[in-house]
Amino acid sequence: MKVLVVGANGQVGRHLIPLVSESGEHTAIAMVRKEEQAASYAAQGIETVVADLEGTVEELAKAAKGCEAIVFTAGSGGQTGYDKTLLIDLDGAGKMIEAAEKVGIQRFLMVSALQAHNRENWSDSIRPYYAAKHYADKLLEASGLTYTIIRPGGLLNEPGTGKVLAAPNLTRGSIPREDVARTVLAALTEERTYNKAFDLISGEDSIAEALQKL
Amino acid sequence: MKVLVVGANGQVGRHLIPLVSESGEHTAIAMVRKEEQAASYAAQGIETVVADLEGTVEELAKAAKGCEAIVFTAGSGGQTGYDKTLLIDLDGAGKMIEAAEKVGIQRFLMVSALQAHNRENWSDSIRPYYAAKHYADKLLEASGLTYTIIRPGGLLNEPGTGKVLAAPNLTRGSIPREDVARTVLAALTEERTYNKAFDLISGEDSIAEALQKL
């Protein structure tokens, strides 16, 4: 499959792109916001497309055209305000879902946040962020797309272990970004993950086993 | 009908409460965040309930119980940041919709913003606000409730004229808050407005005529 990675320059995205490219099964298209980010990927032989999540649905649809799956792992991050959370994490996701519908891309994977479905467990210090993720996830669930919503725990930069725990409801935990990226890759064509949302933290199962248990 | 007005202490809410109370057809229940706001309405003989849109769905359901319609005219306003826009205008609306479903209130009217459905016409200076309103409206449309979404133009404090223009797509205009409140009241039981969303600005039609044309 040709897989559009939205947020290719983000920390999960940078793990995911080479994994997809080296999978042998899929081709990664790195969607980035700036030309210079594209140049860096292009130098590694990765196909790129420049598009801005603050742009129009039409621009995003043009960027996505020809792909067979979309992974949304973009976020405005902690350095900008909640204005950007509304425009990127919420509306950017909403527009990307509309773009997928527009060009007929059926498969859509969302990288969300642990317990985004469950207001009781939203961290008080970043509740507004969880609200944005919550509704982005709800939008995807209400779309006609074949979705998978992966809600990882606290993201770590340490190397992945390949051992995870995936379940509909895990109230706390953390996971290396590399293992999140590996799980996204494994979920792409794993039918057990279709139209499902799950929390993901480090655990004892191989990723393949963890997804089988969903 | 017993009508719960969510955002009773807001500027549209303060017009709406007496209109509903004096309609002869309906009873207004003013939902306010603070006890002192409740006291002020209670002194006017208005029934009140104290509940916080940042609280749980359960708390909001308890507040709504026994009502037959909900008008959502709450907003965090311009004095707070986009954190509150996410928590009140978006998640507060989402929770109120869930609360309505929980206690079986079928009728739900939303006071939105002109062109909230149309990203092309979002004012650049408050785009994130429009994003929140956009998705609150989408949530309501996707719910099973009998909704009416009223998207007024620039809100004025001058006295209402009772003359409006209502249509699915009006790109610019303004309207006194009093006329918005009158339109909400008229829409409550007007079947022409059921499961519809429309822009609303000052115009030439009486409110009854304007709603008939939808």
Side-chain angles (χ1 to χ4, degrees):
Chain A
M1 283 204 298
K2 279 186 83 166
V3 181
L4 184 72
V5 179
V6 179
N9 206 48
Q11 294 191 76
V12 171
R14 273 179 268 169
H15 283 287
L16 181 60
I17 295 275
L19 287 173
V20 171
S21 295
E22 292 156 18
S23 68
E25 295 176 74
H26 310 297
T27 310
I29 322 288
M31 182 174 132
V32 292
R33 192 159 45 96
K34 296 178 190 160
E35 288 291 351
E36 57 264 36
Q37 296 164 341
S40 155
Y41 272 123
Q44 300 164 56
I46 305 286
E47 205 176 318
T48 62
V49 60
V50 176
D52 188 341
L53 285 168
E54 293 193 56
T56 65
V57 170
E58 289 65 30
E59 285 162 25
L60 297 173
K62 197 178 156 199
K65 202 165 183 181
C67 291
E68 290 149 291
I70 293 174
V71 176
F72 190 94
T73 183
S76 56
Q79 304 305 308
T80 54
Y82 284 120
D83 53 341
K84 293 294 182 187
T85 307
L86 277 156
L87 294 178
I88 303 296
D89 302 64
L90 178 63
D91 196 34
K95 287 188 285 191
M96 210 66 233
I97 291 165
E98 286 180 44
E101 289 167 339
K102 206 175 176 89
V103 295
I105 300 172
Q106 186 59 28
R107 185 79 179 109
F108 200 113
L109 291 89
M110 176 73 82
V111 178
S112 181
L114 193 82
Q115 293 286 300
H117 63 307
N118 189 1
R119 292 185 189 97
E120 278 175 42
N121 290 325
W122 294 358
S123 156
D124 269 336
S125 62
I126 52 167
R127 278 191 87 77
Y129 167 75
Y130 279 97
K133 297 302 285 178
H134 178 75
Y135 289 102
D137 294 354
K138 279 191 89 157
L139 277 169
L140 180 55
E141 287 172 343
S143 75
L145 304 178
T146 304
Y147 67 84
T148 299
I149 297 166
I150 301 176
R151 298 185 303 249
L155 296 169
L156 306 174
N157 280 330
E158 59 196 51
T161 63
K163 298 287 187 182
V164 303
L165 176 59
N169 222 9
L170 300 168
T171 51
R172 85 187 39 212
S174 60
I175 183 168
R177 287 182 167 88
E178 187 183 346
D179 284 336
V180 176
R182 286 183 191 172
T183 306
V184 170
L185 173 64
L188 262 174
T189 52
E190 172 51 74
E191 295 188 12
R192 300 277 313 178
T193 72
Y194 290 7
N195 301 320
K196 282 190 187 146
F198 56 90
D199 288 326
L200 181 74
I201 59 177
S202 289
E204 309 282 321
D205 296 328
S206 75
I207 290 167
E209 286 165 352
L211 299 185
Q212 280 305 316
K213 291 183 183 175
L214 288 171
Chain B
M1 281 203 298
K2 279 186 83 167
V3 181
L4 184 72
V5 179
V6 179
N9 207 47
Q11 293 191 76
V12 171
R14 273 180 267 169
H15 283 286
L16 182 60
I17 295 275
L19 287 173
V20 172
S21 294
E22 293 156 17
S23 68
E25 294 177 74
H26 310 297
T27 310
I29 320 289
M31 183 174 131
V32 292
R33 192 159 45 97
K34 295 178 190 161
E35 289 290 350
E36 56 265 36
Q37 297 165 340
S40 154
Y41 272 123
Q44 301 164 54
I46 306 286
E47 205 176 319
T48 62
V49 60
V50 176
D52 189 341
L53 284 167
E54 293 192 56
T56 64
V57 171
E58 288 65 31
E59 285 162 24
L60 297 173
K62 197 178 156 199
K65 202 164 183 184
C67 291
E68 291 149 291
I70 293 175
V71 176
F72 190 94
T73 183
S76 57
Q79 304 305 309
T80 54
Y82 283 120
D83 53 340
K84 293 294 182 187
T85 307
L86 277 155
L87 294 178
I88 303 295
D89 302 63
L90 178 63
D91 196 34
K95 287 188 285 192
M96 210 67 232
I97 292 165
E98 286 179 46
E101 289 166 339
K102 207 174 176 89
V103 295
I105 300 173
Q106 186 59 28
R107 186 79 180 109
F108 200 113
L109 291 88
M110 175 74 82
V111 178
S112 180
L114 194 81
Q115 294 286 301
H117 62 307
N118 188 1
R119 292 185 189 97
E120 279 176 42
N121 289 325
W122 293 358
S123 156
D124 269 337
S125 61
I126 52 167
R127 278 190 88 75
Y129 167 75
Y130 278 97
K133 296 302 285 179
H134 178 75
Y135 289 102
D137 293 354
K138 280 191 89 157
L139 277 169
L140 180 54
E141 287 172 342
S143 75
L145 304 178
T146 304
Y147 67 83
T148 299
I149 297 167
I150 300 176
R151 299 184 302 249
L155 296 169
L156 307 174
N157 280 330
E158 59 196 50
T161 63
K163 298 288 187 182
V164 303
L165 176 59
N169 221 8
L170 300 167
T171 52
R172 84 185 41 212
S174 60
I175 183 167
R177 287 182 166 88
E178 188 183 345
D179 284 335
V180 176
R182 287 183 190 172
T183 306
V184 169
L185 173 64
L188 261 174
T189 54
E190 172 51 73
E191 294 189 12
R192 300 274 317 176
T193 72
Y194 289 6
N195 300 320
K196 282 192 186 146
F198 56 90
D199 288 326
L200 181 74
I201 60 177
S202 289
E204 308 284 320
D205 296 328
S206 74
I207 289 167
E209 285 165 353
L211 299 186
Q212 279 306 316
K213 290 183 183 174
L214 287 171

